[in-house]
Amino acid sequence: MTKLMLRALAGETLPVPPVWMMRQAGRYLPEYRATRAQAGDFLSLCYTPDLAAEVTLQPIRRYGFDAAILFADILLLPQALGPKLWFETGEGPRMETTTTPAQVAALRPAEAVHETLAPVYETLRILSRELPKETTLIGFAGAPWTVATYMIAGRGKDEQAGAHALKSQDRATFQALIDKITEATILYLSAQIEAGAEVVKLFDSWAGSLHGQDFTDFAVAPAARIIAALKVRHPQVPVIAFPREAGDGYIGFARTTGADCVAVDNSVTPEWAAENVQKDGCVQGNLAPHHLVTGGEDLIRETRRVVQAFRGGPHIFNLGHGITPDASPDNVARMIDAVRGG
Ligand code: CP3
């Protein structure tokens, strides 16, 4: 029997949707915090295959999600291109910046990323041996625009200004950076598939700050290029695209990029996404993560509302963004019960 997640991605409308959560391996789980402490720091956890596989498996053991997402980070790829990466406690990621033509030219060749990223492929090999047979293994990468925003600003959060400035002031350098990330991402995701990923997801967390032609050039075009290249090498492997906060940009995104599924955040309603996005195929989403902090009747009602809104077509139940560290593990179990009809 084909896995539930793969059936939804193939376009099947199911009576009960498959369910998983962004950041399902994370700080809200005591077992994650223990393994992270054992690793010492976040990047060591990402680069130690046994421990990265262990934290990937923890939410599968505890909840029986239909999919496991590789434990890694979107910033490992730019790090593998050369710039230094570190995490400031309580503040998030920091990177050596890449903004000049000379710095873009000095990035390593795309093929060189495999050297740094080999432990990630090993994590996937362990997971494809150890996951329950009904669980789908998801690999991922950041989309080029989002990765570029971190490489240019050297940090995250509300820091897309640097990328917008470079795009206006030196389009050629900006485009060269996007092209380099795009090429490396194709190689990275292909290697993840060869190591056992059955689905891959492209996270474009900052797609919402691109508008008009920029959205077409830097959210749609790089995703279309990556997906086309993956489909040549691995035609059977479905791709999920997540152009977060794209708003009207979600409409037609599956058609223009070739994605098998579009993930939607919770700035749009599930009813709107069912009408405007699901008509092109599978949709993933989109419960607001704060319900897992607050729980109660609202959690059950909103979970059922998402399931109900999408029940006329292919759907993967997920959050609109990652689960937060203050979420309650019991609320996650309640959410899953509500999805599965409890
Ligand atoms: O979803 C999963 O469980 C898989 C693993 C995963 C992580 N990050 C682990 C992580 C995935 C898919 C990501 C993607 C990622 N990383 C994105 C895109 C999705 C999004 O959230 O918008 C982005 C923008 C990043 C970059 C990043 N990594 C930031 C901004 C931060 C700090 C924010 C925070 O929550 O602390 C991280 C750290 C990070 N990546 C953590 C985890 C579990 C927390 C690290 C910790 O344990 O201290």
Side-chain angles (χ1 to χ4, degrees), residues 12 53 55 67 76 99 156 158 279 290 307 316 335:
E12 202 177 323
V55 294
L76 304 187
T99 54
D158 300 316
K279 65 177 193 289
H290 66 80
V307 172
I316 298 163
M335 176 196 80

Side-chain angles (χ1 to χ4, degrees), residues 21-27 32 36 42 69-75 87 92-93 140 146 150 203 205 244 321:
M21 294 189 312
M22 288 185 269
R23 295 273 168 100
Q24 64 191 17
R27 286 164 290 182
Y32 170 86
R36 190 180 178 290
F42 174 69
I69 186 161
L70 162 74
F71 190 85
D73 197 85
I74 65 163
L75 300 178
F87 280 76
F140 71 90
T146 288
Y150 286 95
F203 284 89
S205 303
R244 190 167 72 89
H321 199 193

Side-chain angles (χ1 to χ4, degrees), residues 144 179 181-191 193-194 200 202 220-239 256-260:
D179 289 345
I181 301 165
T182 301
E183 241 182 286
T185 303
I186 292 167
L187 299 179
Y188 182 38
L189 290 176
S190 296
I193 292 166
E194 283 147 27
V200 292
L202 269 178
V220 176
R225 223 185 114 193
I226 292 165
I227 294 168
L230 292 175
K231 293 291 178 186
V232 170
R233 292 156 182 248
H234 304 285
Q236 310 307 331
V237 174
V239 181
T256 51
T257 61
D260 300 273

